Amino acid sequence: MKCEKINNCPFYQQKMPIDSGLGAIYRRNYCETDKTKCARFMVASTLGPSYVPIDLYPNMVDRAKQIISENSQG
Ligand code: SF4
């Protein structure tokens, strides 16, 4: 299922530098197939879009978990 953030997402809109082949793979595997595995989506859906670092790529799940734990209460 496609991610609903596609139209506004800097990664999907190719505003983040990445090897074009790798970018295409990520767009297919995350944005167009399973957004729930995307690091950007995890942070945005848990904390809000303003918490998503500009340089967070879809595969950076460990960093996403760290950001979420650092900004979550309790
Ligand atoms: S899956 Fe992640 S990178 Fe792709 S459009 Fe959604 S938030 Fe952006």
Side-chain angles (χ1 to χ4, degrees), residues 30 33-39 41-42 61:
Y30 294 97
T33 304
D34 191 355
K35 65 188 179 187
T36 63
K37 292 186 180 141
C38 169
F41 188 86
M42 285 178 191
V61 171

Side-chain angles (χ1 to χ4, degrees), residues 59-74:
N59 63 316
M60 296 179 172
V61 171
D62 287 345
R63 188 171 166 206
K65 288 179 179 168
Q66 189 183 347
I67 293 166
I68 290 166
S69 74
E70 283 171 358
N71 292 282
S72 298
Q73 293 179 337

Side-chain angles (χ1 to χ4, degrees), residues 3-66:
C3 177
E4 68 271 24
K5 300 183 185 297
I6 272 177
N7 289 337
N8 295 318
C9 180
F11 177 77
Y12 195 84
Q13 297 298 327
Q14 305 190 40
K15 291 175 183 160
M16 294 169 63
I18 189 168
D19 172 81
S20 61
L22 196 57
I25 291 168
Y26 284 1
R27 278 191 290 280
R28 190 170 66 235
N29 290 351
Y30 294 97
C31 315
E32 297 167 6
T33 304
D34 191 355
K35 65 188 179 187
T36 63
K37 292 186 180 141
C38 169
R40 295 186 66 87
F41 188 86
M42 285 178 191
V43 175
S45 60
T46 307
L47 299 172
S50 62
Y51 285 87
V52 183
I54 187 69
D55 60 349
L56 185 70
Y57 286 84
N59 63 316
M60 296 179 172
V61 171
D62 287 345
R63 188 171 166 206
K65 288 179 179 168
Q66 189 183 347

